[in-house]
Amino acid sequence: MVSPGALRVVRCGGGAQRGARAVYLLYASGDFVKVHSVNTEETLRLLCGHADLVTDIQLNPHNHMQLYSSSLDGTIKLWDFMDGIPIKTFTVGSKLLALYALAGAEDSVFVVIPKKGERDTFQLVSVKLTKGAGQDLEGKELSVVLDGVGASPKQIAFGREDSYVVSVKDVNLQVYFFKRKLLNRFSLSAAKTKGGDNRFSCVVCHPTEDCIATGHADGKIRLWRNFHHKKAYTYSALHWHHDIVMDLAYSLEGTRLLSGGVESVLVQWHNESSCQKDFLPRLGSPIDCISMSSDGVLCCTLHTDNRISIINSNLRFSRSIQGLIKSRDVKTGLVVDPRTKALVLNGEPGHLQFYSLQSDQQLFSLDIVQRQYIHQAGLKQSDLVKVAFSARGTWLATVEESEEVADPELQLKLWFYSEETQSFALNTRINTPHDNHITDMCFRDMDELGDDSLILVTTGRDCVFKVWVMVEDSDPEAHQSVSWSCDFVGSYHNYQATNCCFSEDGSLLAVSFEETVTVWDSLTWDLKCTFCHPPGNIRNICFGRLTCSKYLIGATDYGFLCCWNLLTCALEWSAHLNVVVLQPDPLSEHIAAVSWLSKESSLFVFKPSEPWPVYIQRNLCKEKILLAAFVPRDEPEMISSEKYLWLRKSQLFFLTDTQELMTLSTKSLEERLTPSSKQLAVEESLPVTPFSVLLGKHRRQQAQEDTDLGKPVVHSKQEQASPAVKELLHTPAHVLPSASFLCTIFINSLLISKENKSAEEVADEVEMESEKADDESDEEDVTAMEEEDTSHVELLGEMTSKLSKSQEKELRKIRKMDYSWISAF
């Protein structure tokens, strides 16, 4: 567990869905479980609570409104997913790689865990779910069921009426019968003959018959029968896939078998016959997992590019839910769209994806290459390699090149954002902008000067950097009023140009040439100064911002981080650090540097003006971080700890070599869930309606007007956090007690207690006819006044003597007397 206030890594997209099966509208995404609507494709709930990757999810077979989830943090959580409520947490204490919940086991589930003392060896164990009144319980009673199982959830299946369990790994198949406590093992030939590969890839059991379907690496599907006997077993084969069968699923009644693989085609086999089959082609990317809904009406396929396709029972495509697309290689880096604050990077081959961090969905995809991509190994095709936005996001520059190493085909394209069409339109296409690969590209960031000052700089392996500017088109018949052309070509001693960046005010351009950094005047293109730090080529460069704008930072591939002072043209400081990512925050002076050493990534956040970091996070993650980006927040976040103030205005995201998108969060697991979640109420997961937004805005405006007019802001008890009101308004209806039971509690919670009234408010009340009642009221009010006055005096370190009850009674009568007649004198 992470200590309160500590900074923790949160997986928020990308490759985090590996090994997780999508169950109807629920799927695991990083550290969370997401609940989607089939009709609207929007995220309805976000189940937060795990401290590591969620590996598998299963519906509770005894209550389909509840969900089990397993995680690498060693816990199993039971959720009420319709309301986003964690019901129970069972701590197992070992990494959980797969989860299975059976209808016949009420107080236990099955999980796959690593075998202690052995590497890459896993066990299927039964975990007894302890019953108790608390929310956090222990699940340490483990019983080993099978040894030597695979780590993937697709490699284990439970048979008819949960009477046996099947496991496949390599070329071995195991069947364990629970009642008979019998284990049968079957093996196929490990030799690859005539293009065949018998290795198992997945397994599924028939829901009503004793039949096992297994997928194999060579594309075959085998149907096993009579496996109760070791020697009398039989199997038949179905073959359509030309490569590995990635997953299998039976329909609810068992008459149809679904299979998917790298062909991006869903195959439906009828009655286990190779002659009767249907196809749903062109699903976009290889099918990784297949899941059927509990009623058998819908089928869900999870693809390797992080897309979920929802398919009807008649094998007709319905809709898809697209998260962050997993590209083969993110060559563009992580770029932030200034208009939408979306992450922009490689998507489908030849496309640029705009990914919303808030909704974990793709906003849209822009076809840059505009060529049909052919899925064929060894074929050299063009792909998108560089992307840059202007300061206001009105211009987009892209570079595409072929995969040829010696003589690549290059194209530089400039796109203009059209307000009418709400999309980017191609403005200028430049063929062969450089004679060799383009290594970097950037716009001059001068937002206040407008588009007239726009400059684009590209660097290449042809040992030059080029400056591109906008010019008015002289051709009256031209469709575009402006176009782009080359204005200046610069070089330095015939060295390869590797990186470029502009200073914050746009007056200076820094270009790195192998071991040397050159600084140029962006108005005259005169070379101002050079910095050199051999040995090693410059890997990354960036200027400081705001109060640190006089500094230039560079990282070399020999493991040095250097800071140069532009005013003195001298090295300010240097550090021995193997920096692979250097990312400045656009809204502050901070710069994030990610190092890779000893098979772990570490984070260092610093200001160029100070030679020591403001924050260090060793062992940030085991994966190698390739890219990072600061995304500006809509509103600054309240940060309690001073060492995390660098996250106040921007949020840091980074992408690993396994295509997982991660971020940093200062909130602990307990703070991510509201305190009322322990009492079956999660306010954070409630949807924000237009009415609630309008009402909140009206209340804020009213409070601001009262403050401007000098009116005291009075908070009534109804506006305070009343447990009774919260429980009544936020508790799900199906677990509420009767209305008669809650009526008294609810009414009493709305009443204002007399103990909260001041002496002045009590003095203005209507007098009671009965003197006795008046006396009783006086006693209560005087007591309240005495307590209130005493508390204020004690704060000042003083004490005053209390009046007797009779004196307070006389004082009260004097206050009520009418002294208006004295005004005549």
Side-chain angles (χ1 to χ4, degrees):
M1 298 295 291
V2 181
S3 59
L7 202 63
R8 60 182 293 260
V9 179
V10 178
R11 293 172 174 82
C12 52
Q17 291 186 15
R18 61 171 184 249
R21 283 179 177 269
V23 180
Y24 200 23
L25 298 177
L26 311 172
Y27 69 94
S29 177
D31 296 353
F32 315 114
V33 178
K34 296 187 177 180
V35 184
H36 271 273
S37 169
V38 173
N39 297 325
T40 63
E41 303 177 17
E42 64 178 342
T43 304
L44 300 179
R45 297 285 184 272
L46 187 66
L47 307 184
C48 315
H50 283 293
D52 208 333
L53 185 71
V54 178
T55 54
D56 207 355
I57 54 176
Q58 291 287 328
L59 287 175
N60 185 354
H62 308 287
N63 186 346
H64 282 186
M65 305 298 289
Q66 296 178 354
L67 178 80
Y68 285 107
S69 64
S70 62
S71 170
L72 293 181
D73 63 5
T75 63
I76 300 172
K77 289 184 179 291
L78 178 63
W79 306 85
D80 181 346
F81 63 84
M82 294 301 295
D83 298 298
I85 299 169
I87 301 174
K88 297 285 184 182
T89 298
F90 303 94
T91 302
V92 180
S94 179
K95 290 185 177 181
L96 308 179
L97 305 174
L99 173 69
Y100 308 91
L102 306 183
E106 295 186 4
D107 58 347
S108 63
V109 295
F110 294 85
V111 295
V112 175
I113 63 174
K115 189 175 183 179
K116 293 183 179 180
E118 298 185 23
R119 189 177 181 181
D120 296 332
T121 305
F122 307 96
Q123 295 175 316
L124 176 67
V125 300
S126 173
V127 180
K128 186 176 181 181
L129 303 180
T130 308
K131 294 184 179 180
Q135 188 180 25
D136 298 323
L137 302 172
E138 296 288 334
K140 298 297 180 66
E141 295 187 30
L142 307 181
S143 301
V144 178
V145 179
L146 282 176
D147 262 328
V149 301
S152 172
K154 297 183 291 185
Q155 294 180 323
I156 293 177
F158 288 83
R160 177 179 57 88
E161 298 179 355
D162 301 330
S163 58
Y164 55 89
V165 59
V166 184
S167 168
V168 295
K169 185 180 182 182
D170 297 330
V171 292
N172 301 312
L173 183 145
Q174 301 182 81
V175 184
Y176 179 76
F177 301 91
F178 290 105
K179 292 183 179 180
R180 299 163 55 189
K181 295 184 179 180
L182 175 66
L183 177 62
N184 287 345
R185 290 188 175 95
F186 308 94
S187 298
L188 297 175
S189 174
K192 299 180 181 179
T193 58
K194 298 181 180 180
D197 190 347
N198 292 329
R199 287 176 301 159
F200 291 95
S201 58
C202 55
V203 62
V204 67
C205 294
H206 197 283
T208 60
E209 300 177 4
D210 288 332
C211 178
I212 301 173
T214 58
H216 297 264
D218 58 1
K220 289 182 181 179
I221 301 172
R222 285 183 169 88
L223 304 175
W224 301 70
R225 295 184 182 275
N226 204 24
F227 45 81
H228 298 81
H229 309 283
K230 278 190 175 182
K231 297 183 179 180
Y233 73 93
T234 61
Y235 65 79
S236 57
L238 305 174
H239 198 184
W240 178 86
H241 298 277
H242 79 279
D243 209 326
I244 182 173
V245 179
M246 302 186 72
D247 202 11
L248 296 167
Y250 270 107
S251 62
L252 191 63
E253 66 281 359
T255 58
R256 295 174 292 122
L257 176 64
L258 301 175
S259 63
V262 297
E263 303 88 359
S264 307
V265 177
L266 183 64
V267 184
Q268 180 174 259
W269 308 83
H270 294 274
N271 301 319
E272 303 173 356
S273 172
S274 59
C275 300
Q276 301 180 22
K277 54 182 178 290
D278 298 322
F279 304 95
L280 179 60
R282 295 184 294 276
L283 290 179
S285 62
I287 299 173
D288 186 54
C289 290
I290 306 173
S291 180
M292 298 293 298
S293 62
S294 56
D295 56 3
V297 175
L298 296 176
C299 169
C300 177
T301 57
L302 176 63
H303 300 261
T304 56
D305 66 349
N306 220 20
R307 179 191 291 114
I308 295 177
S309 298
I310 300 174
I311 301 164
N312 295 326
S313 58
N314 57 357
L315 215 64
R316 292 293 181 268
F317 176 82
S318 176
R319 56 186 57 86
S320 66
I321 299 171
Q322 177 67 69
L324 180 66
I325 294 179
K326 294 167 57 178
S327 178
R328 297 179 305 164
D329 187 12
V330 183
K331 302 176 183 177
T332 61
L334 289 183
V335 185
V336 180
D337 180 13
R339 302 179 62 86
T340 61
K341 300 298 186 296
L343 276 185
V344 180
L345 65 160
N346 289 101
E348 298 178 12
H351 287 67
L352 195 63
Q353 64 169 319
F354 290 71
Y355 170 72
S356 173
L357 295 164
Q358 290 74 23
S359 62
D360 186 26
Q361 287 186 340
Q362 185 185 118
L363 296 180
F364 61 94
S365 179
L366 183 63
D367 188 358
I368 301 296
V369 176
Q370 298 179 347
R371 296 180 186 176
Q372 183 66 34
Y373 186 84
I374 302 174
H375 294 269
Q376 181 177 339
L379 186 63
K380 304 298 182 181
Q381 303 181 75
S382 296
D383 200 4
L384 182 64
V385 294
K386 299 294 177 185
V387 169
F389 282 93
S390 63
R392 293 185 294 179
T394 54
W395 286 95
L396 167 66
T398 62
V399 175
E400 58 192 69
E401 63 181 33
S402 64
E403 297 176 350
E404 295 288 347
V405 178
D407 188 18
E409 296 180 5
L410 299 177
Q411 277 196 350
L412 172 64
K413 294 181 179 179
L414 281 303
W415 308 74
F416 180 74
Y417 186 82
S418 172
E419 295 289 348
E420 297 179 357
T421 60
Q422 293 291 300
S423 63
F424 285 94
L426 182 61
N427 176 271
T428 304
R429 179 190 288 109
I430 302 171
N431 294 320
T432 318
H434 285 260
D435 294 333
N436 207 332
H437 292 275
I438 294 179
T439 56
D440 201 4
M441 176 173 60
C442 66
F443 277 98
R444 181 166 68 176
D445 195 358
M446 299 178 68
D447 188 19
E448 68 279 359
L449 297 182
D451 289 344
D452 295 338
S453 64
L454 273 180
I455 292 177
L456 177 68
V457 174
T458 58
T459 59
R461 293 183 186 175
D462 55 354
C463 304
V464 299
F465 72 91
K466 293 187 177 182
V467 179
W468 309 86
V469 297
M470 283 192 299
V471 294
E472 293 186 2
D473 203 324
S474 58
D475 187 0
E477 298 181 358
H479 297 287
Q480 306 288 349
S481 59
V482 295
S483 61
W484 291 75
S485 65
C486 183
D487 182 63
F488 179 79
V489 179
S491 63
Y492 183 78
H493 293 294
N494 205 30
Y495 294 151
Q496 285 189 359
T498 53
N499 299 278
C500 63
C501 66
F502 279 98
S503 60
E504 185 178 13
D505 60 356
S507 61
L508 298 177
L509 170 69
V511 182
S512 62
F513 292 88
E514 298 182 6
E515 298 180 350
T516 307
V517 179
T518 60
V519 181
W520 307 73
D521 189 332
S522 65
L523 295 178
T524 61
W525 301 117
D526 294 332
L527 179 62
K528 291 298 182 181
C529 62
T530 61
F531 302 108
C532 187
H533 196 284
N537 295 329
I538 302 296
R539 180 183 287 170
N540 298 295
I541 56 172
C542 68
F543 281 95
R545 304 183 70 88
L546 301 177
T547 60
C548 300
S549 58
K550 65 179 180 179
Y551 298 104
L552 177 64
I553 311 298
T556 70
D557 55 8
Y558 264 63
F560 284 96
L561 181 64
C562 308
C563 177
W564 293 283
N565 192 319
L566 297 172
L567 300 181
T568 62
C569 294
L571 181 66
E572 189 79 6
W573 55 264
S574 65
H576 189 62
L577 194 65
N578 183 30
V579 176
V580 294
V581 176
L582 189 67
Q583 185 64 39
D585 181 8
L587 300 181
S588 70
E589 299 92 344
H590 298 99
I591 297 176
V594 180
S595 68
W596 173 250
L597 186 64
S598 300
K599 296 183 179 180
E600 67 179 37
S601 295
S602 300
L603 173 66
F604 300 85
V605 181
F606 64 94
K607 290 183 179 181
S609 59
E610 302 173 358
W612 54 86
V614 298
Y615 178 77
I616 299 177
Q617 177 67 52
R618 302 280 184 182
N619 192 15
L620 188 67
C621 64
K622 294 297 182 182
E623 298 86 358
K624 185 176 182 180
I625 295 176
L626 301 179
L627 304 167
F630 275 101
V631 179
R633 300 182 188 272
D634 295 333
E635 295 182 0
E637 188 173 285
M638 298 299 295
I639 305 294
S640 58
S641 178
E642 184 178 355
K643 64 180 179 179
Y644 303 139
L645 289 178
W646 59 276
L647 282 173
R648 183 172 180 268
K649 295 182 179 180
S650 301
Q651 188 173 3
L652 180 61
F653 291 85
F654 42 88
L655 192 72
T656 67
D657 55 355
T658 57
Q659 299 285 305
E660 290 188 45
L661 183 66
M662 299 182 179
T663 187
L664 295 172
S665 175
T666 57
K667 297 180 180 180
S668 64
L669 294 181
E670 289 77 10
E671 291 174 336
R672 296 183 72 85
L673 298 173
T674 57
S676 57
S677 66
K678 308 259 181 184
Q679 304 173 0
L680 302 182
V682 177
E683 190 171 355
E684 287 183 356
S685 63
L686 295 177
V688 179
T689 62
F691 178 73
S692 66
V693 174
L694 181 62
L695 183 61
K697 186 182 297 185
H698 172 73
R699 287 176 174 173
R700 289 193 296 270
Q701 292 176 352
Q702 187 65 35
Q704 183 64 34
E705 292 175 0
D706 293 343
T707 304
D708 296 340
L709 294 175
K711 297 181 182 180
V713 181
V714 180
H715 298 281
S716 65
K717 188 174 182 180
Q718 290 91 326
E719 295 176 349
Q720 299 175 1
S722 171
V725 176
K726 270 193 172 183
E727 186 168 353
L728 179 63
L729 296 180
H730 297 300
T731 303
H734 61 278
V735 296
L736 273 176
S738 62
S740 60
F741 177 79
L742 290 175
C743 183
T744 305
I745 302 176
F746 178 66
I747 295 298
N748 289 336
S749 67
L750 299 179
L751 297 178
I752 301 176
S753 175
K754 290 185 178 181
E755 295 178 356
N756 295 333
K757 295 183 180 180
S758 63
E760 290 76 13
E761 290 175 328
V762 175
D764 293 335
E765 290 183 349
V766 180
E767 296 186 22
M768 304 297 291
E769 294 182 0
S770 172
E771 185 177 355
K772 181 178 179 180
D774 193 8
D775 292 343
E776 292 176 355
S777 177
D778 290 342
E779 292 178 5
E780 294 177 0
D781 296 333
V782 168
T783 303
M785 184 188 70
E786 287 174 354
E787 292 176 357
E788 184 178 358
D789 292 345
T790 301
S791 64
H792 288 289
V793 173
E794 286 176 354
L795 292 176
L796 300 175
E798 299 177 359
M799 290 296 292
T800 182
S801 59
K802 296 182 180 180
L803 298 177
S804 64
K805 293 183 179 180
S806 59
Q807 290 174 333
E808 287 293 342
K809 182 178 178 181
E810 292 297 328
L811 181 61
R812 175 66 185 277
K813 290 181 179 180
I814 293 175
R815 285 175 177 169
K816 293 181 179 180
M817 293 181 64
D818 186 10
Y819 296 99
S820 60
W821 56 271
I822 202 172
S823 61
F825 298 96

